[in-house]
Amino acid sequence: MRKLIVVVGLIFSIVVNAQQYTDTPYLQDYAVKYELQETIVGTALWQVESDRNLAIKVLSADGLLNAFGNELSLDLQYRPLTDMNIIAFDNYQDQFVYLTDTSVLSNAWGGTYEVEHGLTTASHFAMGSDFKALVASINALKLIGKEGKVIWETKENELHPISLKYDKRGNRFLMLTANALYEIVPEKPELKKIYSGSNLTAFALFKNGLVLGTGNGVITLSGNPLKAGEINQKLPWTEITSITNINEQLWFGSTKGAFKLREDGKYDYYASKRWLVDDVVIDIAKGPENSILIATKTGLSQINFVSMTLAEKADYFQKIQRLRHIRYGLTVNLELKTPGDLTSGYYHDTDNDGLWTSMYLAGELYRYAVTKDEDAKQNAYEAFEAMERLTAITPMHGFPARSFERDGYEVGLHANGFSEEWYKKHVAENGRIWRLTDDGKWRWKSTTSSDETCGHFYVHALFAELAPDQEWRDRAIHQLKIQMDHIMDNNWYLVDWNGEPTAWGKWNPKYVNSFPINVGDRRLNSTLILSFLQTTYHFTKDEKYKKAALKLIKRYGYDENANRPATTIGYVEGEDLSDRWNHSDDEMYFLTIPGFVNYSFTEEQRKKHFETVKSHWEVERSEKNPLWNYLFALTGSTTIDSEESAWNLREFPMDLIDWKIDNSHRKDLVMIEPNFRSQTYSEVLPGDERVLHKHNGAYKNNGGNARQEYAPYIYLLPYWAGRYAEAISAPVKE
C-alpha cells in the first residue's frame, strides 16, 4: 500500500518521520527459571547469592545448592562445605563468605579467612570493613576482627534478629527484629535502637534513608533523627518478605511476587510463572551480568536484562514462529498437553486459521517491502499458498474454509461464538461443521465468519501491492475476485455448503440495517463490505464492483452507516451484540481501514472515510496498540501515538506461554468504574504484566492456563507494519 500513500501528499511522510521512533537498544527483561532437583523437592530455601565468578548459590535446609542447567541441585564442589552446617552466607568483595554453627569462613583469598564466633545459636551475620564480622544469635551479638579477636559482644534476651546488614556509607551495622531497627557502630559499638515498630519483615538502605517492609506495607525512614513517613500500601502486594537495594534500584519481595520501584514512583511487577517458579519470594539478590536473582518457596528465577532493539526482538520471534507455529503453511498457536511444557506441544486447527495466517503473512510482506529479504518472500509465498487452499478445498466457488485438516485429526469441533448445545443442535439439523473432501482424505471447516473474510481481503490486497512477482500478484487478485463474487452472487452473504448463510458472514441490507445505529455491527459491516468492494475494484477495474458499492451507498445508506463516528457505538437495551464493546470488531475494522480509506472512489469519499477511521482510532488510543497506530498511519494519518506504540513493543514479553496471571489483588493500580469497553484500570498494563492475547482482545489482566504458546505474529505484524509505515526506524546501535 506504499504506492497509495503518495496520494495523501508529501506532508504525510514528513509528519510520520517526525514522529518516528528511533530503534536504539533498550533493556529487555526475560526470566530463566531453576526448579528443585527431584531428590530435594520440598526443601526449604533461605538465601540466594552470586559471586564474581558468575556462580549462583542458594542456601537451603539441605545445604548449598547450585543453579545450573535450569535446575537447583546439591552443591558438591567444595567437599568440606558439604560436611559443614551452613546457616547463612553473604557476598563480600564479590566472594562468598559463610556462617556455620562454629565460624565465619570463605574459600576465597586462598582459604585464609576463618574466625570462630563461639555462639551456640548463631542465625545471621554481616561483613563490615576490613573483614570485621558481626554475628547474631537469638540472644547475643558478637563483633569479630579479621584475626578472630572479639571486638565487642552483648547479650540480649529474646533478640531474634530477622535481618543483618552493613551500611558502608555510614560505617555501621543495622539489625532488624520484628519490632525494632538497631544500629551498631564498630568504632564505638553498642546496640542502639533507632526505630520501634511492629510486624517488621525486611529493610534496605535507599538513597539517604531506610525502607522498612512490614506484613502490610512499606515505611520510609528519613532525616536526622530518623522519622517515619506514612505506611505505603499502594503496592502490587503489601505482605513484604524482602527488600534489596541493587545498583540504587529498590527491589521488593512479597508473598505474591516481586516488584521494582521505578523512577516515576510506579512499579515493575514480576509475578506468575512467566517470571517466577512460584510467587512466594524468600530472597532477592544481585545476579551475574546485570541480572536479578529471586529465590522463591520452590525454586529460583533469574531476571536477565539484555540490550536489545525492537528489530532484534523481531528476529528472535521470527525464529520461534517458524520453529513452532506453522501448520500446513497456516499460522497456529502451539497447544501444550502438559501446562507450560513446550516439549508437549502439538498443533490443532482453530476457527480463524485464515485470519491468523493473514496477519503473519502481512507482517512478512511488510518485512519484504522494507528489507527485500528473500526469506520473508518465501515465508509470504508459503503462507499465501495455504490461504489459497482455504478457498480451493471447498466446493463453493470463492467460499473460504475456516481451516483444514487430515480426516480424523480435526480438533476444533465447535463454531466461533456458539455453545456446545448450539453445536449439537446444528449438527443434528445440518450435519457436521467439518466437511469431507471428495477424495476422503481431508476435512475442511465450514461456518466461516466475517473475521476470516477481513483477513483474506486485507492480506490479498497487500499481496497484490507488495509481492515482487506478477504471477503471484495475479493469484492474489484472483482471490479477491472470487471471494467478492461469492458474496455478491449470494445476495451479500457467505453461503455455506448447506445453502444457508453462515452466522457471521452477513452484509445484506436487511441484516445490516436491522440494527439500531448504536449497535456496532451496523457500522462495522457497512465498512467491511464497502472496503471489500473498493479493494476488488481497485485491482480488477471491473465496474460491477464499483456499481454494487454505489448501490449499497445510495439505496441502503452504507456510506452513512460506515461514516458514523465510533462514539456512536454504545449499549442498546434488548439488542443483541450491544452489551459491551467488541474488540474482535476492532481487529476487523483496523485490518479493513487501509482499503476503506486508500481505495476510496473519490477524494471527497476518502476524506470522509479517513475522518470516521480517525474517530475509531481516538477511541482506541488508551489501549496503546501499535498495530492500530501503524495501520492508521497507512491510511495517511499525520498523527499517531509513536512512543506509546514503541512502549507496547518493548514491554511485549519474550515468553509467549499463556501463563496464569492475576492482577486482581494489586493495590498500586487505579481501578475505574465498570464500563462498556470493559477497561478495568485507569491505564493499560504493560504486556509483560498481564495475560497474553491476540489483537482481538484488550484490557485482559487476569486469566491464562499455560495450555498454549501464542504465535509470535502478534508482535511481528505490528513491528513490521511500523517499519513499513516508517514509524519505526531501522535499528540504530549506540
Side-chain angles (χ1 to χ4, degrees):
M1 297 177 188
R2 180 163 291 183
K3 297 176 185 176
L4 296 169
I5 296 174
V6 175
V7 303
V8 178
L10 184 60
I11 190 172
F12 166 67
S13 60
I14 294 173
V15 175
V16 170
N17 283 332
Q19 289 191 313
Q20 186 182 72
Y21 170 75
T22 303
D23 189 16
T24 54
Y26 65 97
L27 286 181
Q28 174 67 56
D29 45 1
Y30 69 94
V32 175
K33 286 164 277 187
Y34 302 86
E35 304 212 12
L36 289 166
Q37 196 176 57
E38 188 175 349
T39 57
I40 53 173
V41 168
T43 189
L45 304 184
W46 297 335
Q47 275 184 275
V48 61
E49 293 286 354
S50 69
D51 70 356
R52 63 184 302 273
N53 302 314
L54 310 183
I56 300 172
K57 310 282 185 183
V58 174
L59 184 60
S60 76
D62 284 330
L64 278 177
L65 307 180
N66 245 335
F68 185 75
N70 295 107
E71 199 170 53
L72 289 178
S73 57
L74 291 173
D75 181 6
L76 306 177
Q77 293 173 337
Y78 275 99
R79 287 172 294 133
L81 289 181
T82 64
D83 290 328
M84 295 181 186
N85 179 17
I86 301 175
I87 297 166
F89 74 134
D90 198 0
N91 180 302
Y92 184 67
Q93 296 182 3
D94 271 346
Q95 302 283 5
F96 292 130
V97 180
Y98 305 97
L99 171 68
T100 74
D101 54 352
T102 61
S103 52
V104 179
L105 62 93
S106 177
N107 293 317
W109 308 289
T112 57
Y113 176 68
E114 182 171 3
V115 296
E116 294 183 356
H117 55 69
L119 297 176
T120 56
T121 56
S123 60
H124 295 76
F125 84 115
M127 298 297 297
S129 64
D130 195 28
F131 285 87
K132 294 185 184 72
L134 180 65
V135 184
S137 69
I138 293 174
N139 53 18
L141 283 168
K142 187 177 287 190
L143 183 62
I144 307 168
K146 182 177 182 180
E147 304 302 327
K149 180 181 178 181
V150 176
I151 300 172
W152 169 80
E153 62 182 317
T154 185
K155 291 185 178 181
E156 299 282 340
N157 291 329
E158 302 298 319
L159 196 58
H160 295 292
I162 292 173
S163 180
L164 193 59
K165 296 181 181 182
Y166 177 66
D167 173 12
K168 185 176 181 180
R169 181 184 299 175
N171 187 26
R172 59 179 177 167
F173 292 95
L174 294 167
M175 184 181 71
L176 184 73
T177 68
N179 52 30
L181 181 67
Y182 296 90
E183 174 187 80
I184 303 98
V185 178
E187 293 178 352
K188 294 182 179 180
E190 64 172 323
L191 186 62
K192 179 181 178 182
K193 184 185 291 187
I194 58 174
Y195 175 76
S196 294
S198 62
N199 198 19
L200 304 178
T201 59
F203 81 99
L205 294 125
F206 185 61
K207 296 183 178 178
N208 294 318
L210 290 156
V211 180
L212 303 181
T214 76
N216 193 29
V218 169
I219 299 168
T220 299
L221 305 180
S222 59
N224 188 13
L226 288 173
K227 291 185 179 179
E230 291 187 7
I231 190 165
N232 177 15
Q233 295 178 321
K234 292 183 178 180
L235 307 168
W237 189 237
T238 57
E239 191 176 358
I240 305 302
T241 58
S242 69
I243 309 177
T244 310
N245 182 339
I246 301 175
N247 298 328
E248 293 307 310
Q249 292 187 318
L250 206 56
W251 284 82
F252 298 85
S254 77
T255 53
K256 289 191 177 181
F259 42 96
K260 181 186 72 173
L261 178 64
R262 300 199 315 241
E263 290 184 3
D264 62 3
K266 298 179 182 179
Y267 298 92
D268 290 330
Y269 187 37
Y270 296 87
S272 84
K273 283 188 175 292
R274 176 182 290 158
W275 296 109
L276 306 178
V277 177
D278 67 87
D279 284 346
V280 181
V281 177
I282 304 299
D283 190 27
I284 300 177
K286 180 180 179 181
E289 299 177 327
N290 200 36
S291 68
I292 303 296
L293 303 175
I294 303 176
T296 58
K297 188 175 181 180
T298 59
L300 171 69
S301 298
Q302 182 178 13
I303 311 298
N304 294 286
F305 295 85
V306 296
S307 179
M308 182 178 288
T309 62
L310 296 181
E312 289 171 329
K313 195 170 185 176
D315 290 342
Y316 168 81
F317 282 136
Q318 181 65 242
K319 293 173 183 175
I320 294 177
Q321 173 78 27
R322 302 307 303 180
L323 182 65
R324 295 199 289 266
H325 295 278
I326 305 296
R327 181 182 74 92
Y328 305 129
L330 299 170
T331 285
V332 293
N333 289 343
L334 186 71
E335 302 298 316
L336 307 178
K337 289 184 178 180
T338 303
D341 182 3
L342 291 174
T343 65
S344 70
Y346 67 97
Y347 300 140
H348 77 64
D349 51 84
T350 73
D351 285 336
N352 297 111
D353 283 356
L355 176 58
W356 315 141
T357 304
S358 75
M359 296 175 80
Y360 172 61
L361 171 52
E364 290 302 272
L365 289 169
Y366 291 135
R367 179 162 79 103
Y368 179 78
V370 171
T371 67
K372 296 300 183 286
D373 190 327
E374 285 295 312
D375 179 66
K377 171 185 162 181
Q378 182 176 345
N379 294 341
Y381 283 9
E382 287 180 9
F384 176 78
E385 286 182 305
M387 292 198 67
E388 268 189 324
R389 194 179 183 204
L390 290 170
T391 54
I393 202 170
T394 71
M396 301 86 73
H397 188 65
F399 181 95
R402 286 184 180 273
S403 187
F404 54 81
E405 183 54 276
R406 286 186 168 88
D407 182 34
Y409 293 91
E410 64 275 20
V411 174
L413 302 180
H414 63 292
N416 188 33
F418 294 101
S419 66
E420 184 67 19
E421 291 72 22
W422 178 92
Y423 167 73
K424 290 177 180 177
K425 183 174 184 292
H426 181 88
V427 170
E429 295 176 353
N430 301 287
R432 288 185 63 185
I433 290 172
W434 282 92
R435 309 304 300 169
L436 193 64
T437 57
D438 290 341
D439 62 10
K441 294 181 178 180
W442 291 83
R443 292 269 178 185
W444 59 271
K445 193 171 190 180
S446 60
T447 71
T448 304
S449 68
S450 54
D451 308 65
E452 292 288 284
T453 306
C454 283
H456 282 269
F457 275 88
Y458 163 60
V459 82
H460 291 324
L462 196 62
F463 202 95
E465 285 279 355
L466 299 181
D469 303 304
Q470 185 63 52
E471 175 191 352
W472 287 81
R473 293 198 297 271
D474 290 343
R475 287 164 65 175
I477 294 169
H478 176 69
Q479 287 296 313
L480 294 171
K481 179 175 172 53
I482 64 172
Q483 293 192 45
M484 192 71 258
D485 286 348
H486 174 90
I487 296 170
M488 290 175 62
D489 293 344
N490 287 284
N491 197 23
W492 306 109
Y493 292 109
L494 275 180
V495 172
D496 219 330
W497 61 274
N498 57 5
E500 296 295 325
T502 66
W504 302 116
K506 298 177 180 179
W507 299 277
N508 182 279
K510 287 185 179 179
Y511 174 80
V512 171
N513 288 332
S514 68
F515 293 107
I517 62 172
N518 305 98
V519 176
D521 274 40
R522 179 165 179 159
R523 176 177 179 270
L524 175 67
N525 284 26
S526 298
T527 303
L528 300 187
I529 198 64
L530 290 181
S531 180
F532 299 164
L533 287 163
Q534 291 173 189
T535 298
T536 310
Y537 172 73
H538 176 83
F539 288 103
T540 66
K541 296 299 185 254
D542 189 329
E543 288 292 326
K544 74 174 184 179
Y545 303 114
K546 185 175 183 179
K547 289 179 180 178
L550 293 176
K551 181 179 179 180
L552 291 176
I553 291 170
K554 294 176 180 178
R555 185 175 298 182
Y556 299 107
Y558 272 41
D559 232 14
E560 182 182 356
N561 290 340
N563 284 333
R564 290 191 179 96
T567 51
T568 303
I569 301 171
Y571 172 72
V572 180
E573 187 173 358
E575 279 290 335
D576 291 338
L577 309 177
S578 67
D579 59 328
R580 58 185 171 83
W581 190 274
N582 189 326
H583 296 288
S584 285
D585 288 357
D586 294 328
E587 182 174 67
M588 287 190 280
Y589 190 81
F590 278 93
L591 292 182
T592 302
I593 63 172
F596 182 58
V597 175
N598 295 333
Y599 300 146
S600 296
F601 297 132
T602 65
E603 180 61 16
E604 181 183 7
Q605 186 191 44
R606 189 200 67 77
K607 289 180 179 179
K608 290 181 179 179
H609 287 180
F610 176 82
E611 286 303 316
T612 193
V613 164
K614 183 179 179 182
S615 76
H616 204 119
W617 173 75
E618 290 281 2
V619 170
E620 290 294 295
R621 293 178 77 174
S622 65
E623 292 181 25
K624 301 181 182 180
N625 187 320
L627 184 57
W628 301 167
N629 275 291
Y630 301 144
L631 289 173
F632 182 46
L634 290 173
T635 67
S637 173
T638 58
T639 303
I640 63 168
D641 292 331
S642 181
E643 177 50 41
E644 288 81 354
S645 298
W647 168 84
N648 194 305
L649 294 173
R650 292 193 303 268
E651 296 292 333
F652 192 91
M654 302 290 280
D655 185 341
L656 300 181
I657 293 176
D658 182 30
W659 296 111
K660 182 179 180 180
I661 291 174
D662 182 21
N663 285 290
S664 61
H665 59 273
R666 293 180 63 171
K667 299 182 179 182
D668 60 322
L669 304 177
V670 179
M671 294 194 71
I672 60 176
E673 293 296 320
N675 55 84
F676 186 67
R677 287 178 56 78
S678 302
Q679 184 175 350
T680 309
Y681 303 116
S682 59
E683 56 183 329
V684 66
L685 291 181
D688 61 4
E689 294 184 15
R690 54 178 164 81
V691 182
L692 264 175
H693 56 75
K694 300 184 179 81
H695 292 284
N696 61 345
Y699 307 122
K700 292 184 177 180
N701 301 309
N702 308 311
N705 57 16
R707 288 284 186 179
Q708 63 179 331
E709 180 187 53
Y710 278 92
Y713 78 85
I714 54 180
Y715 176 92
L716 293 170
L717 174 56
Y719 170 75
W720 286 112
R723 286 289 302 276
Y724 181 70
E726 298 181 355
I728 303 173
S729 77
V732 178
K733 288 290 187 179
E734 290 182 329

